[in-house]
Amino acid sequence: MAIVINDEDCMGCETCVQLCPDVFEMNEAGDKAIVINADSDADCVDEAVDSCPGSAIAK
Ligand code: SF4
């Protein structure tokens, strides 16, 4: 399953980027996170899903 972020629900808090920098980074504007490794099975992805305040990350 690919990891996806729902843009509308992302509030740009950067939590996912801090938890899992190999999978998430901020976009150029710095206001939304983007997925840079959608096929990752790293444990930190689950942590990011659970920690996202907007429930914006799905996998
Ligand atoms: S943790 Fe959620 S709300 Fe925060 S930047 Fe990542 S996707 Fe956006």
Side-chain angles (χ1 to χ4, degrees):
M1 287 288 278
I3 302 160
V4 292
I5 291 176
N6 182 342
D7 261 13
E8 288 184 6
D9 292 333
C10 174
M11 49 192 76
C13 70
E14 299 190 28
T15 300
C16 56
V17 178
Q18 287 165 11
L19 288 171
C20 214
D22 291 340
V23 177
F24 303 102
E25 70 181 28
M26 298 309 289
N27 66 6
E28 271 182 41
D31 61 349
K32 304 274 180 187
I34 58 172
V35 179
I36 54 172
N37 184 359
D39 297 322
S40 172
D41 60 359
D43 290 342
C44 61
V45 175
D46 292 326
E47 223 179 311
V49 170
D50 291 344
S51 302
C52 175
S55 300
I57 309 169
K59 58 174 274 194

